[in-house]
């Protein structure tokens, strides 16, 4: 464990329930299970709030039957937010319970990143591992894969997955929206590993997509069509083995779904000549494939230790607009103020579509069935909630930003974050800046910005001082800001300014703030054999 920081804690700070982790916010004692519970966290990639059928029953889509059932047997959280609007920062905040301005991760790592989540950060799996849990991860890590930064060195006993996004490399049989690896091998024998998109000796020189087990590459380039089966069988095996040993476990499944490239099974009506489904059906087919994987994990858990396992499904950020028909649906959260000025309003933005994610919590006998809760919550809350349920105290040498959602889950309490900040994760710089503040139903923008929309339009970044304020209760599409002269505006503006100043001061005086190294070097890329084109593990026969 990292030591050496001076404990510097202030009463009533932003860690909320964390320090009082066995006591509810209202002082009532939380009843604990006699045995340590198991935790399964399923994090979908680039999923939209509207992709969960249960969030929009009026659409009558039938793409997520297993998740709908899980919601009917559990709790659907309707105002739950990813901690950031892009991959690495969101995952770092989930695993540390801290904003990117504290944990150091404010933008994405690359294939050739030499580092990752700063080693000074303490992770959720590490704390549970130290408390006797078996900790396993399947899927997309994206917090640095090189040496000490890989998942098995950050608290996981076992890892199987693609260590970053599944579009950060090529495959031989690409899914939708991914370049194909060249069929040639490198007969010239010299290093072909080059990270820019250039052609080398007739070969596309991008690094092949690796599948990693623990810290070894087991397949490169990975066959995307087999990934779902790999993940499903690993998850099932992990659940069964942990129960056979009688050891509580954390299983963190960071799905490749719904990030491009999509590689769904072929539907019966796929065109006979191309053997590819019609474009419009690809996303829905992938969604059903993902839902099936979630269903298989739930079945394995239900068959082993049903009453003692919390399954928490959520997303890492909203849909990737610019991928058009391969992007998900943000539902009603369409960010009209922005889209009417050009540009996308989902992933990489702090409009609702960027971070409001479909979320379901399931724990038979503990979480009341068929309930919804609109408490303001975040992926950062996974850290304090799981530690609280496992009765583990996190290190007191640092400050945290998550709230303990135990009483929201088990007792229907309604109070989440007083203030929730959405960091800038866009392409326009100022990474990590807390540009948007949510309090109750209001949301204040100090900076607005857009991502690339389908078709290529990009909006410009704009500063707002005083901030733009929307009331999401009346205006979930974020279309018309409150008039700056209204008493409502003045009250909210004052409140968010106070909340923001308090947080910025708290971070400025936090001695446990980490900084990430975003340096790159070609030798850091996962590579089976640098003498083979795209680093493939075997010469093509
Ligand atoms: C992965 O690591 C775990 C823990 O060290 C070990 O038990 C397991 O055998 C390893 N698996 C592989 C395939 O190397
Ligand atoms: C769940 O709640 C909905 C809405 O209140 C209701 O229509 C449905 O029948 C309930 N399902 C079950 C299994 O109780």
């Amino acid at each position: 464990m990292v030591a050496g920081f001076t404990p510097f804690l202030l009463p009533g700070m932003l860690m909320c329930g964390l320090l009082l982790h066995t006591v509810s916010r209202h002082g009532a004692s939380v009843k604990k299970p006699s045995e340590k519970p198991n935790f399964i966290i399923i994090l979908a990639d680039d999923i939209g709030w509207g992709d969960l059928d249960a969030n929009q029953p009026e659409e009558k889509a039938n793409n997520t039957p297993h998740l709908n059932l899980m919601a009917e047997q559990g709790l659907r959280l309707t105002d739950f937010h990813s901690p950031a609007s892009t991959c690495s920062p969101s995952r770092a905040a989930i695993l540390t319970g801290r904003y990117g301005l504290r944990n150091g991760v404010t933008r994405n790592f690359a294939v050739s990143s030499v580092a990752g989540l700063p080693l000074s950060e303490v992770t959720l799996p590490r704390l549970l591992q130290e408390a006797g849990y078996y900790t396993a991860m399947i899927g997309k890590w994206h917090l640095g894969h090189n040496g000490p930064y890989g998942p098995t060195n950050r608290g996981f006993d076992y890892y199987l997955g693609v260590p970053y996004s599944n579009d950060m490399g090529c495959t031989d049989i690409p899914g939708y929206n991914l370049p194909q690896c060249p069929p040639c091998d490198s007969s010239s024998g010299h290093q072909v590993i080059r990270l820019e998109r250039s052609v080398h000796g007739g070969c596309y020189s991008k690094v092949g997509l690796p599948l990693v087990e623990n810290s070894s590459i087991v397949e490169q380039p990975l066959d995307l069509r087999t990934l779902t089966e790999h993940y499903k069988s690993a998850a099932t095996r992990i659940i069964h083995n942990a129960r056979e040993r009688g050891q509580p476990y954390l299983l963190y499944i960071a799905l490749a779904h719904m990030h491009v490239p999509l590689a769904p099974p072929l539907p019966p009506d796929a065109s006979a000549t191309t053997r590819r489904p019609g474009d419009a059906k690809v996303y829905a087919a992938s969604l059903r494939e993902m839902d099936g994987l979630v269903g298989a994990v739930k079945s394995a858990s239900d068959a082993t230790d049903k009453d003692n396992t919390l399954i928490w499904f959520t997303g890492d950020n909203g849909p990737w607009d610019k991928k058009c028909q391969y992007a998900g649906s943000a539902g009603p959260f369409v960010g009209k103020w922005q889209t009417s000025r050009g540009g996308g309003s989902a992933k990489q933005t702090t409009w609702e579509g960027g971070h409001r994610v479909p979320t379901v919590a399931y724990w038979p006998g503990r979480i009341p069935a068929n309930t919804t809760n609109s408490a303001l919550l975040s992926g950062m809350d996974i850290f304090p909630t799981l530690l609280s349920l496992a009765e583990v105290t996190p290190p007191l040498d640092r400050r945290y930003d998550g709230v303990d959602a135990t009483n929201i889950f088990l007792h229907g309490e309604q109070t989440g974050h007083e203030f929730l900040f959405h960091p800038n994760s866009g392409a326009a710089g100022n990474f990590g800046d807390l540009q948007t503040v949510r309090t109750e139903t209001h949301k204040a923008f100090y900076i607005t910005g857009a991502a690339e929309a389908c078709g290529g339009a990009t909006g410009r970044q704009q500063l707002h001082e005083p901030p733009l304020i929307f009331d999401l209760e009346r205006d979930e599409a974020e279309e018309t800001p409150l008039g700056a002269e209204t008493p409502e505006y003045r009250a909210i503006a004052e409140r968010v300014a106070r909340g923001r100043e308090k947080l910025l001061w708290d971070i400025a005086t936090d001695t446990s703030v980490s900084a990430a190294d975003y340096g790159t070097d070609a030798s850091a890329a996962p590579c089976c054999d640098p003498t083979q084109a795209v680093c493939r593990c075997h010469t093509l026969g």
Side-chain angles (χ1 to χ4, degrees), residues 134 152 156-159 213-216 218:
Y134 177 70
T152 50
F156 286 107
D157 292 316
Y158 177 79
Y159 174 68
E213 188 169 33
N214 286 350
S215 49
S216 309
V218 293

Side-chain angles (χ1 to χ4, degrees), residues 108-229:
N108 285 339
F109 293 106
V111 171
S112 54
S113 281
V114 294
L117 175 67
L119 299 176
S120 47
E121 288 299 306
V122 176
T123 66
L124 175 66
R126 175 71 77 208
L127 294 171
L128 290 173
Q129 189 180 53
E130 286 170 357
Y133 273 72
Y134 177 70
T135 55
M137 173 174 180
I138 295 172
K140 172 174 164 180
W141 169 244
H142 213 178
L143 292 174
H145 46 271
N146 197 33
Y149 295 92
T152 50
N153 289 314
R154 300 312 298 272
F156 286 107
D157 292 316
Y158 177 79
Y159 174 68
L160 176 72
V162 179
Y164 35 65
S165 299
N166 57 341
D167 66 343
M168 291 165 66
C170 60
T171 59
D172 288 330
I173 303 165
Y176 294 85
N177 209 276
L178 184 72
Q180 183 159 9
C181 290
C184 53
D185 70 351
S186 156
S187 46
S188 54
H190 52 260
Q191 287 251 337
V192 294
I193 169 170
R194 284 237 235 107
L195 300 166
E196 68 277 21
R197 285 168 174 267
S198 64
V199 171
H200 181 92
C203 292
Y204 183 72
S205 69
K206 205 163 190 179
V207 172
L209 207 57
L211 181 68
V212 172
E213 188 169 33
N214 286 350
S215 49
S216 309
I217 298 171
V218 293
E219 202 182 330
Q220 187 173 30
L222 161 74
D223 180 352
L224 277 176
R225 297 163 309 166
T226 61
L227 192 59
T228 304
E229 274 312 313

Side-chain angles (χ1 to χ4, degrees), residues 121 278-279 347:
E121 288 299 306
D279 258 6
K347 176 174 175 173

Side-chain angles (χ1 to χ4, degrees), residues 330-343:
F333 304 107
V334 291
K336 280 192 183 163
W337 188 93
Q338 187 62 60
T339 54
S340 68
R341 287 164 176 78

Side-chain angles (χ1 to χ4, degrees), residues 49 113 162 207-208 311 396 462 530:
W49 189 91
S113 281
V162 179
V207 172
I311 304 181
L396 298 179
Q462 215 175 308

